[in-house]
Amino acid sequence: MDRERILGCGNMASLKTVLYLGVWLSAWIITTADENFVPKAENVRWVSLDFKTILVWTTHASDYKYTVSYHSEEPEWSQSPDCIRMSHSECDLTDHLRPLDRTYTVQIKTEPAAMDYDDDLEDFPHSSCPPFNPYRETNISAVNFTVEVVDESRVMVNITDPLSGVHELGKQLSLREVFKTDLKYKISYYKSGSTGKRDIISNSSTAEVSKLNAGQSYCFMVAAFIPSRPKSSQQGAWSIQWCTPRDGNVLQELSLAAWVGAVFILLTVLVIIATVIVLCCKCCRQKNTSQSSAPV
């Protein structure tokens, strides 16, 4: 009986030991897993305007470094010197995506800030995003333009080609120099107070709009248009609206203060001229009076 009691106590002690060992082992596994866990970059996306192209992503921890690699048709991956083991969450690839009319794939590798260089880099997590073609997908900004009246039924629209993010031989290229004949402009105009719009496509940066009603006010907007691109990215942002008054002259962007200043200057000049004339007349009268009163 005593022997069975001793054996029972021994079994209970062994069971407790196994339980303690299991709890300790589980805690060690969890702790080790947390220490080895490396979060991936999230929400990786392209932000590109006029060929200024930046890769951005979201991070949740500050004690990690990120390295960006990219490639197009070549099997080898390339890296930007400014995007190797960096702590911030964006990488400017503007000067590296050449040629422009290629589709590029990227991956972002996350590494611990205090990394053992004996570690295999392929063991760390990688993030990616959909491929990107700068020539076909970069967003195009709004353009600047002016409207010049030719006669009562025609105006000339003069468009300034926006600058791109592309530099060659130290020169910043315009969108016209990048797209060449692919770049066109969509000009939308309508009668002031009307809902009906008309669109024309211009192959150059200068376009004549004709058959306008004499004395009618018209409003114009312009946007870059690249018909060779996919439909979703063919058109750039619309410009601000520019309207002509009913007398047919282009609305001058002079503020009220400018007009008041001009009127004030004109009145000042007139007052000065009038004052000079009055003083001259007085001098002449005094001189004539003194000559007539002098003794003979």
Side-chain angles (χ1 to χ4, degrees):
M1 189 70 168
D2 292 338
R3 184 178 180 183
E4 290 178 355
R5 186 179 299 173
I6 293 172
L7 288 175
C9 292
N11 290 334
M12 289 295 295
S14 299
L15 181 59
K16 288 183 178 179
T17 302
V18 171
L19 289 175
Y20 285 135
L21 182 61
V23 171
W24 178 85
L25 185 59
S26 299
W28 179 83
I29 291 174
I30 294 173
T31 303
T32 304
D34 288 340
E35 290 176 352
N36 293 332
F37 173 73
V38 178
K40 296 173 62 176
E42 299 177 351
N43 302 320
V44 184
R45 60 199 182 278
W46 298 95
V47 177
S48 182
L49 180 65
D50 299 334
F51 294 100
K52 177 72 173 178
T53 304
I54 300 175
L55 188 71
V56 298
W57 59 92
T58 302
T59 61
H60 298 288
S62 59
D63 51 346
Y64 293 93
K65 301 291 184 180
Y66 303 92
T67 297
V68 176
S69 302
Y70 63 93
H71 79 96
S72 56
E73 298 175 358
E74 300 82 5
E76 297 82 11
W77 290 87
S78 301
Q79 293 178 340
S80 168
D82 298 326
C83 301
I84 298 176
R85 286 186 56 78
M86 57 183 182
S87 56
H88 49 280
S89 57
E90 65 177 41
C91 173
D92 190 343
L93 293 173
T94 300
D95 297 329
H96 301 281
L97 305 184
R98 299 290 187 277
L100 293 170
D101 196 6
R102 278 191 183 178
T103 300
Y104 292 88
T105 302
V106 297
Q107 65 177 14
I108 304 173
K109 179 177 58 183
T110 307
E111 310 164 6
M115 185 184 69
D116 185 350
Y117 286 93
D118 292 332
D119 293 340
D120 187 355
L121 298 181
E122 294 302 321
D123 292 340
F124 295 112
H126 294 70
S127 302
S128 61
C129 69
F132 177 75
N133 184 309
Y135 192 87
R136 299 180 181 276
E137 297 180 63
T138 188
N139 294 316
I140 305 300
S141 60
V143 302
N144 295 319
F145 72 100
T146 59
V147 179
E148 179 184 353
V149 173
V150 178
D151 55 40
E152 61 182 9
S153 64
R154 295 183 299 158
V155 298
M156 191 68 69
V157 179
N158 301 302
I159 306 164
T160 301
D161 294 324
L163 292 175
S164 74
V166 181
H167 292 76
E168 287 187 2
L169 302 176
K171 176 188 176 184
Q172 186 175 9
L173 303 185
S174 68
L175 290 184
R176 172 68 62 188
E177 292 172 306
V178 176
F179 284 115
K180 296 181 172 59
T181 57
D182 281 348
L183 176 62
K184 307 178 188 306
Y185 288 104
K186 179 181 289 188
I187 302 171
S188 180
Y189 66 99
Y190 63 94
K191 292 181 183 179
S192 180
S194 172
T195 57
K197 290 186 178 182
R198 297 179 182 177
D199 293 336
I200 62 173
I201 304 297
S202 173
N203 294 326
S204 67
S205 302
T206 304
E208 182 182 272
V209 181
S210 59
K211 298 181 180 180
L212 304 177
N213 295 338
Q216 177 67 51
S217 173
Y218 285 86
C219 296
F220 297 83
M221 291 191 302
V222 180
F225 184 68
I226 306 99
S228 61
R229 301 173 74 174
K231 190 172 183 179
S232 60
S233 60
Q234 286 181 348
Q235 184 174 305
W238 282 109
S239 67
I240 60 171
Q241 185 172 269
W242 187 296
C243 299
T244 62
R246 293 187 180 277
D247 60 5
N249 295 321
V250 176
L251 183 62
Q252 301 295 322
E253 294 186 339
L254 288 176
S255 64
L256 178 62
W259 283 110
V260 171
V263 172
F264 176 77
I265 292 174
L266 180 60
L267 290 176
T268 302
V269 172
L270 291 176
V271 169
I272 293 174
I273 293 174
T275 303
V276 171
I277 292 174
V278 171
L279 291 176
C280 289
C281 290
K282 285 185 177 180
C283 289
C284 291
R285 288 178 182 177
Q286 290 178 357
K287 185 175 181 181
N288 291 335
T289 303
S290 61
Q291 287 178 353
S292 61
S293 61
V296 180

